[in-house]
Structure formats: structure tokens, C-alpha cells
């Protein structure tokens, strides 16, 4: 195994760090406080290629690996967790349409998504389904040259401020095989957006419910064939779990960096905090667990890039471990700041708030355990690289 980054990966990382330092970090606290969706910054990210990292090159994307994308997202997350997390969702939408839509539909939408000119939302979660995604009730009925879409979605990132939706809806019977996926222009008649949710974190991106009331979607906007939607959604989520895991790692790294600087500057009892062995031990545990999380994420990305049979289980393991670790490290960093960590003059409380939701979305960490255990027990094999 070669754990060193390639020259190209180093260049992408450095470009992402520069963007995070110059375009995200200086504004992140204001975006959070004022709940601003920084569309202009996202479009500038698109100009560099960050809105279509693993989108197919034929439609204007960079066509990078998931490993490459994880390196970029980690660097960006250190600047603004919430905005980077939206970028990961947008990348998933761009990739799904570029990979599974009919060529004419992909050509219509994906180049503008990859450039950041248009923005996308991923619509799977429903109010009554939650973690039981295969039990979704939004329905699409075939009617001549189109489908009539009825139902509702919940907790949709970017909803009301984006241009295109990838919507999972039931076209057949119960269970995952009855679900299809559609490209839905976000301004079609019959689409109603709910109020913007007031959230603990992730405040630089709007979150709303969406209701579909007899929305007419062209039949050509079906991704793949009827019944393939749930499989597409899960493929999207494998990558999404890596993405959100690496956002946790990037945010935790920023928190650790801030804490490391602080304990060397802050004096207590006549000496820097860094001189206390208890502080040294805490920092040692934080960096050790953070490095372990980063390597697990990159291993899962490698599995996904190489089409490994157990890639989904590794994506679930990486998501579970990295998001738990990322929250823990950010919280420990806040503790090292003492009372200062709890006030908004410093970014620590925002790191903690923004990282917390990663343990819930893209499948809760309890569901990640279900996926891992099922692979281990029912499928009878999990390559643990022994």
C-alpha cells in the first residue's frame, strides 16, 4: 500500500485549502449567524471544478476518483463545514444525472451543474419513512409522455434555492424494486417548498420540506429504467457517506489545529496549557483517532473506486467511525478552549454544531451498524485486510 498522495492529489488539496482559506473561512461565521446560502461562493467553487469533482468528463466534470474528491472535500471543510457539505450533495446530484440520465437530459443539466451555474438537491428522505428509505410513499404514475408526481420529502438540503431535484418515487409495488428516480426541474408547477427549518448547525444551507402536487415530469427524465431508482440512490449514498465522513475529518482537523495553537499560547498557573501532561495526552488521543478516521475514509474510497464487493460496508464503517470521531475531536477541542470555546468569537462551537448532524444524515450511524453487521453475518464475508 502507498499512503502518499500523488502530485496531482497534492495540487488538488492545495487548491482546495487556498479556496477554503480565502473564500470560505473568512465568511463562515457570518453565513452561520445570518443563515446565508453563499451561492456566489459556491459558483466560484464551480469555476475551479469543485461542483463536478467526480462528474463524467463528457459533461464538463473533472471525472476524479472518490479518493481524490475526499481529499478536496476534507480541505474545503476546514473553511466552512456547512457549505462544503452542501457541495458534496450537489456533487452527488451532478454525478447521478451524468451517470444515469438519458444523454439528452444529461447534456441539458450536467454541464451547468458541474460549473456551478445551476444547483441541485437530492430528494430521498420522507416524513414518515426516515431511516426506512425503501418504504417511501411519494408516487409517480405514468400518464402518456410523462409521469404525475405526488408526495412529499423532508430535510432536503438547498430546497427552495436550487434549480434541479433528483427525486426518488414509487412507480411499482412495495419495497426497493418499486422505486424509480427522476430529474425534476425545481420550478415545475405543483412543487411547493416548506418553511426554512431552524437548525442547530448547517446554517449556511437552507433545509426545507418539498410537496409534489400533480407535478408533470417528462418521461425522458426517468433515470435508467423503472425500478432502478433505489439502487441508484444507494450508489449515491455510498459516495455520500464517504463525502460526509471526510467533512467530519476536515472540520475536526481545523478544530485540532486551533486547539493546538491555543494551548501553546494560553497561560494557566504560570505556564502554557501545552506543558500540562493531561493536555498533551488529550491532544495525542485526538490526533491518533483523527488519523485513524482519515485512513478509514480513504480505504473506503479506494474500495468504492475499485468496485469491491464489500465497498458499501466499508463506506458505512467509514461514515460511522469518522463522523463519531469528528464530533468527538471537535468537542474535545472546544473543551481545551474552556469558556472561550463556548462563545461565538471562536469557531469551536460552530465546528461542534456543524459536525453533529453528520452522525444522523446519509443514514444514521445506527443504520450504518445494521449495514456492517448484515454484511458480516448474512453475506458471510467481509474483507478486513487480515
Amino acid at each position: 500500500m502507498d499512503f502518499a498522495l500523488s502530485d496531482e492529489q497534492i495540487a488538488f488539496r492545495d487548491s482546495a485549502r487556498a479556496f477554503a482559506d480565502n473564500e470560505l473561512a473568512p465568511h463562515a461565521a457570518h453565513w452561520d449567524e445570518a443563515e446565508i446560502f453563499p451561492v456566489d461562493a459556491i459558483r466560484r467553487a464551480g469555476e475551479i471544478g469543485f461542483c463536478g469533482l467526480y462528474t463524467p468528463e463528457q459533461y464538463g466534470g473533472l471525472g476524479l476518483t472518490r479518493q481524490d474528491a475526499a481529499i478536496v472535500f476534507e480541505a474545503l471543510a476546514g473553511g466552512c463545514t456547512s457549505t462544503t457539505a452542501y457541495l458534496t450533495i450537489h456533487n452527488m446530484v451532478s454525478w447521478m444525472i451524468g451517470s444515469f440520465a438519458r444523454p439528452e437530459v444529461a447534456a441539458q443539466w450536467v454541464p451547468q451543474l458541474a460549473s456551478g451555474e445551476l444547483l441541485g438537491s437530492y430528494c430521498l428522505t420522507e416524513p414518515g419513512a426516515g431511516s426506512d428509505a425503501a418504504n417511501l410513499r411519494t408516487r409517480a404514475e405514468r400518464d402518456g409522455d410523462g409521469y404525475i408526481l405526488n408526495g412529499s420529502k423532508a430535510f432536503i438540503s438547498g430546497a427552495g434555492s436550487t434549480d434541479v431535484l433528483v427525486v426518488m418515487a414509487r412507480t411499482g409495488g412495495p419495497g426497493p424494486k418499486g422505486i424509480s428516480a427522476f430529474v425534476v426541474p425545481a420550478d415545475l408547477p405543483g412543487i411547493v417548498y416548506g418553511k426554512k427549518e431552524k437548525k442547530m448547525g448547517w446554517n449556511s444551507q437552507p433545509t426545507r420540506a418539498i410537496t409534489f402536487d400533480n407535478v408533470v415530469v417528462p418521461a425522458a427524465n426517468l433515470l435508467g429504467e423503472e425500478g432502478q431508482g433505489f439502487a441508484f440512490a444507494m450508489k449515491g449514498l455510498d459516495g455520500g457517506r464517504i463525502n460526509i465522513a471526510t467533512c467530519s475529518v476536515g472540520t475536526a482537523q481545523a478544530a485540532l489545529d486551533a486547539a493546538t495553537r491555543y494551548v501553546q499560547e494560553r497561560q494557566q498557573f504560570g505556564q502554557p496549557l501545552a506543558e500540562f501532561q493531561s493536555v498533551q495526552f488529550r491532544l495525542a488521543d485526538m490526533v491518533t483517532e483523527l488519523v485513524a478516521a482519515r485512513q478509514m475514509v480513504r480505504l473506503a474510497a479506494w474500495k468504492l473506486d475499485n468496485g469491491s464487493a464489500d465497498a458499501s460496508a466499508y463506506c458505512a464503517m467509514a461514515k460511522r467511525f469518522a463522523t463519531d470521531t469528528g464530533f468527538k475531536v471537535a468537542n474535545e477541542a472546544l473543551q481545551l478552549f474552556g469558556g472561550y470555546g463556548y462563545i461565538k468569537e471562536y469557531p469551536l462551537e460552530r465546528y461542534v454544531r456543524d459536525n453533529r448532524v453528520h452522525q444522523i444524515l446519509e443514514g444514521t450511524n445506527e443504520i450504518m451498524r445494521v449495514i456492517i453487521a448484515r454484511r458480516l453475518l448474512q453475506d458471510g464475508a467481509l474483507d478486513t485486510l487480515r
Side-chain angles (χ1 to χ4, degrees):
M1 296 183 185
D2 184 358
F3 291 95
L5 300 184
S6 68
D7 290 342
E8 186 178 51
Q9 288 171 330
I10 291 171
F12 281 125
R13 181 200 63 192
D14 292 348
S15 177
R17 282 180 178 172
F19 188 87
D21 291 343
N22 297 322
E23 302 285 349
L24 301 181
H27 311 290
H30 175 60
W31 294 339
D32 173 70
E33 182 72 22
E35 299 184 2
I36 293 171
F37 188 39
V39 172
D40 289 343
I42 291 168
R43 287 184 173 142
R44 287 194 293 275
E47 293 171 3
I48 305 173
F50 295 159
C51 286
L53 288 170
Y54 49 90
T55 299
E57 290 181 273
Q58 70 189 94
Y59 297 118
L62 295 183
L64 300 182
T65 66
R66 298 309 175 92
Q67 183 78 276
D68 296 334
I71 292 164
V72 170
F73 289 138
E74 179 182 334
L76 291 174
C80 180
T81 311
S82 174
T83 303
T84 302
Y86 171 73
L87 280 169
T88 73
I89 295 165
H90 174 86
N91 269 266
M92 181 164 60
V93 170
S94 179
W95 170 78
M96 287 185 72
I97 300 175
S99 299
F100 305 122
R102 286 159 176 74
E104 64 275 15
V105 175
Q108 176 186 355
W109 291 102
V110 180
Q112 295 177 88
L113 289 168
S115 70
E117 183 179 348
L118 298 180
L119 302 179
S121 292
Y122 176 84
C123 305
L124 174 64
T125 303
E126 295 191 355
S131 294
D132 187 11
N135 195 34
L136 64 82
R137 296 182 179 179
T138 296
R139 188 151 196 98
E141 298 282 356
R142 186 65 187 260
D143 182 32
D145 293 331
Y147 287 85
I148 308 299
L149 187 62
N150 284 283
S152 60
K153 300 292 181 179
F155 305 123
I156 304 304
S157 292
S161 299
T162 53
D163 305 287
V164 63
L165 315 172
V166 169
V167 180
M168 269 54 71
R170 191 165 300 284
T171 54
K177 293 184 179 179
I179 296 171
S180 300
F182 298 87
V183 179
V184 180
D187 60 353
L188 286 181
I191 298 179
V192 178
Y193 296 96
K195 65 178 177 60
K196 187 169 76 168
E197 304 288 357
K198 302 294 287 185
K199 307 191 296 292
M200 174 180 173
W202 268 32
N203 289 320
S204 75
Q205 51 170 293
T207 301
R208 292 183 173 90
I210 307 177
T211 301
F212 303 96
D213 183 10
N214 291 322
V215 177
V216 180
V217 180
N221 286 26
L222 175 70
L223 294 183
E225 303 298 331
E226 284 193 11
Q228 293 185 312
F230 193 76
F232 293 159
M234 293 304 102
K235 287 181 179 179
L237 283 179
D238 278 343
R241 286 163 184 162
I242 291 172
N243 291 345
I244 217 63
T246 203
C247 282
S248 286
V249 171
T251 305
Q253 183 68 63
L256 176 60
D257 291 344
T260 301
R261 292 191 298 269
Y262 181 77
V263 299
Q264 293 177 83
E265 298 166 358
R266 173 72 167 168
Q267 296 275 334
Q268 289 283 276
F269 306 104
Q271 60 182 327
L273 287 176
E275 295 297 321
F276 292 94
Q277 192 176 64
S278 61
V279 172
Q280 294 174 3
F281 281 7
R282 179 170 285 184
L283 289 170
D285 286 345
M286 291 162 69
V287 72
T288 299
E289 292 172 17
L290 184 56
V291 169
R294 177 180 293 114
Q295 296 310 323
M296 179 165 280
V297 171
R298 292 183 181 179
L299 173 60
W302 179 86
K303 288 270 188 179
L304 193 59
D305 286 332
N306 286 276
S308 299
D310 53 2
S312 291
Y314 269 84
C315 292
M317 284 192 283
K319 194 269 182 182
R320 202 290 298 167
F321 185 74
T323 58
D324 283 350
T325 299
F327 177 75
K328 179 182 177 183
V329 169
N331 197 41
E332 291 282 347
L334 185 153
Q335 188 73 15
L336 287 170
F337 270 73
Y340 292 107
Y342 202 68
I343 63 176
K344 291 192 174 184
E345 182 180 348
Y346 297 88
L348 279 301
E349 57 84 30
R350 175 164 45 84
Y351 293 154
V352 171
R353 288 187 291 106
D354 281 346
N355 250 5
R356 180 61 182 87
V357 73
H358 299 171
Q359 295 167 292
I360 299 171
L361 52 80
E362 306 287 16
T364 66
N365 283 3
E366 290 74 20
I367 292 298
M368 297 305 99
R369 291 177 171 91
V370 170
I371 293 170
I372 297 160
R374 183 178 295 150
R375 175 73 191 186
L376 184 63
L377 296 172
Q378 295 180 4
D379 296 344
L382 186 62
D383 178 10
T384 55
L385 303 180
R386 291 178 292 180

